[in-house]
CSV table of all heavy atoms in Angstrom, one decimal:
chain,number,residue,atom,x,y,z
Y,242,LEU,N,-6.9,24.5,-25.4
Y,242,LEU,CA,-6.1,23.7,-26.4
Y,242,LEU,C,-4.7,24.3,-26.6
Y,242,LEU,O,-3.8,23.5,-26.7
Y,242,LEU,CB,-6.9,23.8,-27.7
Y,242,LEU,CG,-8.2,23.1,-27.9
Y,242,LEU,CD1,-8.9,23.4,-29.2
Y,242,LEU,CD2,-7.9,21.6,-27.8
Y,243,ALA,N,-4.5,25.6,-26.5
Y,243,ALA,CA,-3.2,26.1,-26.7
Y,243,ALA,C,-2.3,25.7,-25.5
Y,243,ALA,O,-1.1,25.4,-25.6
Y,243,ALA,CB,-3.3,27.7,-26.7
Y,244,GLY,N,-2.9,25.7,-24.3
Y,244,GLY,CA,-2.1,25.3,-23.1
Y,244,GLY,C,-1.7,23.9,-23.2
Y,244,GLY,O,-0.6,23.5,-22.8
Y,245,LEU,N,-2.6,23.0,-23.6
Y,245,LEU,CA,-2.3,21.6,-23.7
Y,245,LEU,C,-1.2,21.3,-24.7
Y,245,LEU,O,-0.2,20.6,-24.4
Y,245,LEU,CB,-3.6,20.8,-24.2
Y,245,LEU,CG,-3.4,19.4,-24.6
Y,245,LEU,CD1,-3.0,18.5,-23.4
Y,245,LEU,CD2,-4.6,18.8,-25.2
Y,246,LEU,N,-1.3,21.9,-25.9
Y,246,LEU,CA,-0.3,21.6,-27.0
Y,246,LEU,C,1.1,22.2,-26.6
Y,246,LEU,O,2.1,21.7,-26.9
Y,246,LEU,CB,-0.8,22.1,-28.3
Y,246,LEU,CG,-2.1,21.4,-28.8
Y,246,LEU,CD1,-2.5,22.0,-30.1
Y,246,LEU,CD2,-1.8,19.9,-29.0
Y,247,ALA,N,1.0,23.4,-26.0
Y,247,ALA,CA,2.3,24.0,-25.6
Y,247,ALA,C,3.0,23.2,-24.5
Y,247,ALA,O,4.2,23.0,-24.6
Y,247,ALA,CB,2.0,25.4,-25.0
Y,248,ARG,N,2.3,22.6,-23.6
Y,248,ARG,CA,2.9,21.8,-22.6
Y,248,ARG,C,3.5,20.5,-23.2
Y,248,ARG,O,4.5,19.9,-22.7
Y,248,ARG,CB,1.9,21.4,-21.5
Y,248,ARG,CG,1.5,22.5,-20.6
Y,248,ARG,CD,0.7,22.0,-19.4
Y,248,ARG,NE,-0.5,21.3,-19.7
Y,248,ARG,CZ,-1.7,21.9,-19.9
Y,248,ARG,NH1,-1.7,23.3,-19.8
Y,248,ARG,NH2,-2.7,21.3,-20.2
Y,249,LYS,N,3.0,20.1,-24.3
Y,249,LYS,CA,3.5,18.9,-25.0
Y,249,LYS,C,4.7,19.2,-25.8
Y,249,LYS,O,5.3,18.3,-26.4
Y,249,LYS,CB,2.4,18.2,-25.8
Y,249,LYS,CG,1.2,17.8,-25.1
Y,249,LYS,CD,1.5,16.6,-24.2
Y,249,LYS,CE,0.3,16.0,-23.5
Y,249,LYS,NZ,0.5,14.9,-22.7
Y,250,GLY,N,5.1,20.5,-26.0
Y,250,GLY,CA,6.3,20.9,-26.7
Y,250,GLY,C,6.1,21.3,-28.1
Y,250,GLY,O,7.0,21.4,-28.9
Y,251,TYR,N,4.8,21.5,-28.5
Y,251,TYR,CA,4.6,21.9,-29.9
Y,251,TYR,C,4.8,23.4,-30.1
Y,251,TYR,O,4.5,24.2,-29.3
Y,251,TYR,CB,3.1,21.6,-30.3
Y,251,TYR,CG,2.9,20.1,-30.4
Y,251,TYR,CD1,2.4,19.4,-29.3
Y,251,TYR,CD2,3.2,19.3,-31.5
Y,251,TYR,CE1,2.2,18.0,-29.3
Y,251,TYR,CE2,3.0,18.0,-31.6
Y,251,TYR,CZ,2.5,17.3,-30.4
Y,251,TYR,OH,2.3,15.9,-30.5
Y,252,PRO,N,5.4,23.8,-31.3
Y,252,PRO,CA,5.7,25.2,-31.5
Y,252,PRO,C,4.4,26.0,-31.7
Y,252,PRO,O,3.4,25.5,-32.2
Y,252,PRO,CB,6.5,25.1,-32.8
Y,252,PRO,CG,6.2,23.8,-33.5
Y,252,PRO,CD,5.8,22.9,-32.4
Y,253,PRO,N,4.5,27.3,-31.5
Y,253,PRO,CA,3.3,28.1,-31.5
Y,253,PRO,C,2.6,28.1,-32.9
Y,253,PRO,O,1.4,28.1,-33.0
Y,253,PRO,CB,3.8,29.5,-31.2
Y,253,PRO,CG,5.0,29.3,-30.4
Y,253,PRO,CD,5.6,28.1,-30.9
Y,254,SER,N,3.4,28.1,-34.0
Y,254,SER,CA,2.8,28.1,-35.3
Y,254,SER,C,2.0,26.9,-35.6
Y,254,SER,O,0.9,26.9,-36.1
Y,254,SER,CB,3.9,28.2,-36.4
Y,254,SER,OG,4.8,27.1,-36.3
Y,255,LEU,N,2.4,25.7,-35.1
Y,255,LEU,CA,1.7,24.5,-35.3
Y,255,LEU,C,0.5,24.5,-34.3
Y,255,LEU,O,-0.6,24.0,-34.7
Y,255,LEU,CB,2.6,23.3,-35.0
Y,255,LEU,CG,1.9,21.9,-35.1
Y,255,LEU,CD1,1.3,21.7,-36.4
Y,255,LEU,CD2,2.9,20.8,-34.7
Y,256,VAL,N,0.6,25.0,-33.2
Y,256,VAL,CA,-0.5,25.1,-32.2
Y,256,VAL,C,-1.7,25.8,-32.8
Y,256,VAL,O,-2.8,25.3,-32.8
Y,256,VAL,CB,0.0,25.7,-30.9
Y,256,VAL,CG1,-1.2,26.0,-30.0
Y,256,VAL,CG2,1.0,24.8,-30.1
Y,257,TRP,N,-1.5,27.0,-33.3
Y,257,TRP,CA,-2.6,27.8,-33.8
Y,257,TRP,C,-3.1,27.3,-35.1
Y,257,TRP,O,-4.4,27.3,-35.3
Y,257,TRP,CB,-2.1,29.3,-34.0
Y,257,TRP,CG,-1.7,29.9,-32.8
Y,257,TRP,CD1,-0.4,30.4,-32.5
Y,257,TRP,CD2,-2.5,30.2,-31.6
Y,257,TRP,NE1,-0.4,30.9,-31.2
Y,257,TRP,CE2,-1.7,30.8,-30.6
Y,257,TRP,CE3,-3.8,29.9,-31.3
Y,257,TRP,CZ2,-2.1,31.2,-29.4
Y,257,TRP,CZ3,-4.3,30.3,-30.0
Y,257,TRP,CH2,-3.4,30.9,-29.1
Y,258,SER,N,-2.3,26.6,-35.9
Y,258,SER,CA,-2.8,26.0,-37.1
Y,258,SER,C,-3.8,24.8,-36.7
Y,258,SER,O,-4.8,24.6,-37.3
Y,258,SER,CB,-1.7,25.5,-37.9
Y,258,SER,OG,-2.1,24.7,-39.0
Y,259,VAL,N,-3.4,24.0,-35.7
Y,259,VAL,CA,-4.2,22.9,-35.3
Y,259,VAL,C,-5.5,23.4,-34.7
Y,259,VAL,O,-6.6,22.8,-35.0
Y,259,VAL,CB,-3.4,22.0,-34.3
Y,259,VAL,CG1,-4.3,21.0,-33.6
Y,259,VAL,CG2,-2.3,21.3,-35.1
Y,260,ILE,N,-5.4,24.4,-33.9
Y,260,ILE,CA,-6.6,24.9,-33.2
Y,260,ILE,C,-7.6,25.5,-34.3
Y,260,ILE,O,-8.8,25.2,-34.2
Y,260,ILE,CB,-6.3,26.0,-32.2
Y,260,ILE,CG1,-5.5,25.4,-31.0
Y,260,ILE,CG2,-7.5,26.7,-31.7
Y,260,ILE,CD1,-5.0,26.4,-30.0
Y,261,LYS,N,-7.1,26.2,-35.2
Y,261,LYS,CA,-8.0,26.7,-36.3
Y,261,LYS,C,-8.7,25.6,-37.1
Y,261,LYS,O,-9.9,25.7,-37.4
Y,261,LYS,CB,-7.2,27.6,-37.2
Y,261,LYS,CG,-8.0,28.2,-38.3
Y,261,LYS,CD,-7.1,29.1,-39.2
Y,261,LYS,CE,-7.9,29.8,-40.3
Y,261,LYS,NZ,-7.0,30.6,-41.2
Side-chain angles (χ1 to χ4, degrees):
L242 288 173
L245 169 66
L246 296 176
R248 288 192 300 271
K249 299 292 185 179
Y251 292 94
S254 58
L255 178 59
V256 169
W257 298 117
S258 174
V259 167
I260 292 176
K261 183 178 180 180

